[in-house]
Amino acid sequence: QLQLVESGGGLVQPGGSLRLRCKAPRAIFSVYIGYVMGWYRQAPGKQRELVASISSGRSPVYADSVKGRFTISRDNSQKTVTLRMDSLKPEDTAIYYCNANQDGLDSWGQGTQVTVSS
């Protein structure tokens, strides 16, 4: 299990931008680089879904609904993964969760609310 601490989120108008960060403060660097890091989201009444994920040294993966608008990146030296969200839409409103996966085992952050509304 990896402790994950999220920050960012909040209320933004449609078309606006937000940045989410997820840090693994207690992770050992040599172990952290082996994790697949990702962001998931869950809207009211819907299942949790993958937004984006990134492995060290590989191209990121994005949900079709966020391609071209969201950018995921990771800084292994800081044990941090960042989700940059641009051109936000009301349908992006959800609780966003940071995820770390290794060998099929998941660790989750506490979640952070993103609300897109005018």
Side-chain angles (χ1 to χ4, degrees), residues 53-60:
S53 66
I54 185 168
S55 303
S56 297
R58 295 188 177 183
S59 297

Side-chain angles (χ1 to χ4, degrees), residues 16-39:
S17 298
L18 283 174
R19 182 168 55 191
L20 306 181
R21 282 199 174 97
C22 173
K23 190 173 179 64
R26 299 181 180 176
I28 299 171
F29 172 79
S30 60
V31 175
Y32 180 79
I33 60 175
Y35 277 89
V36 178
M37 301 301 299
W39 286 94

